[in-house]
């Protein structure tokens, strides 16, 4: 029938028993199935979410071979502020992962601090690589590490720390007027290239440290000679 005939038919919504979960689920299934076959109104094929997502397809980090890749749909209805927040978190996690991988490389190479880590005489050379370190590092040492990370998170690793007048030039810019290393002397193209390198290295490091952690727990170390 026509749309007017369908709208004129009574829905009998009051006949359903309010406590019948099966009836509610059946109606929900019918509605979702019917809506799947509804054609777009006025022939529109572009949705706001697609327009928003398309705005991020030229952002830093969108490059071969994957290009724009958002399998979880995190950017489906995102605005620029939300995207910048995700990029900020990605960069920070990438930097932490790079330090973690470097830490494993250094300790596996036998490079350790001299002396002892506690009054009981535990030497730095006695602390193994990976999860085994938690069994050797004293509780007070772990507590100090957590406090140090908290200080960095709340007071240093921010794009407006040290009473700087405003946020950095881009998400993850933690210079805050204190550190520069000649960044302002680079051209815009060089800056973008270096930021892309850091972003990709951080992504690789996140996958790398995850693989090292998983294989260690499986008892199959990726390091020659074991963890």
């Amino acid at each position: 029938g026509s749309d007017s005939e369908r709208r004129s038919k009574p829905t009998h919504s009051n006949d359903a028993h309010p406590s019948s979960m099966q009836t509610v689920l059946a109606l929900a299934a019918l509605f979702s199935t019917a809506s799947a076959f509804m054609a777009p109104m006025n022939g529109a094929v572009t949705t706001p979410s697609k327009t928003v997502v398309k705005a991020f397809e030229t952002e830093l980090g969108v490059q071969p071979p994957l290009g724009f890749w958002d399998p979880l749909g995190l950017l489906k209805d995102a605005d620029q502020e939300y995207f910048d927040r995700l990029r900020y978190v990605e960069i920070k996690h990438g930097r932490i992962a790079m330090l973690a991988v470097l830490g494993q490389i250094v300790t596996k190479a036998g490079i350790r601090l001299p002396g002892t880590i506690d009054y009981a005489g535990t030497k730095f050379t006695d602390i193994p690589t990976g999860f085994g370190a938690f069994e050797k590092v004293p509780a007070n040492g772990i507590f100090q590490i957590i406090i140090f990370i908290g200080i960095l998170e709340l007071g240093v690793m921010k794009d407006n720390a040290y009473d700087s007048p405003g946020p950095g030039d881009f998400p993850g810019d933690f210079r805050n007027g204190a550190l520069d290393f000649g960044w302002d002397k680079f051209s815009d193209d060089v800056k973008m290239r270096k930021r892309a390198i850091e972003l990709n290295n951080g992504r690789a490091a996140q996958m790398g440290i995850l693989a090292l952690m998983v294989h260690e727990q499986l008892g199959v170390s990726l390091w020659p000679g074991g963890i």
Side-chain angles (χ1 to χ4, degrees), residues 1-13:
S2 62
D3 292 343
S4 60
E5 289 176 348
R6 286 197 294 268
R7 287 195 294 268
S8 64
K9 292 182 180 180
T11 59
H12 301 290
S13 58

Side-chain angles (χ1 to χ4, degrees), residues 192-210:
M192 290 297 291
R193 182 170 61 85
K194 289 183 176 294
R195 288 176 58 197
I197 291 173
E198 181 194 27
L199 190 61
N200 283 332
N201 287 348
R203 290 169 174 173
Q206 290 177 74
M207 299 301 295
I209 193 61
L210 179 61

Side-chain angles (χ1 to χ4, degrees), residues 11-127:
T11 59
H12 301 290
S13 58
N14 294 331
D15 294 340
H17 195 281
S19 62
S20 177
M21 182 58 69
Q22 292 181 347
T23 303
V24 174
L25 293 176
L27 289 174
L30 287 173
F31 177 80
S32 60
T33 303
S35 62
F37 291 94
M38 292 177 63
M41 295 182 63
N42 299 328
V45 295
T46 303
T47 61
S49 60
K50 290 183 179 179
T51 303
V52 173
V53 168
K54 193 173 182 62
F56 302 121
E57 292 182 352
T58 57
E59 287 282 353
L60 178 71
V62 179
Q63 55 195 51
L66 293 179
F68 181 79
W69 195 57
D70 182 26
L72 299 180
L74 297 177
L75 300 177
K76 181 179 179 181
D77 296 307
D79 55 12
Q80 187 65 44
E81 182 179 0
Y82 184 69
F83 175 86
D84 290 342
R85 172 61 183 170
L86 292 178
R87 174 52 50 84
Y88 173 88
V89 172
E90 179 186 20
I91 291 176
K92 180 179 286 188
H93 286 178
R95 290 170 177 172
I96 294 172
M98 286 188 282
L99 289 174
V101 172
L102 181 62
Q104 290 236 4
I105 293 174
V106 169
T107 53
K108 283 297 293 181
I111 303 174
R112 307 295 178 88
L113 293 173
T116 59
I117 194 174
D118 59 10
Y119 293 115
T122 304
K123 298 179 181 179
F124 284 101
T125 53
D126 297 332
I127 300 176

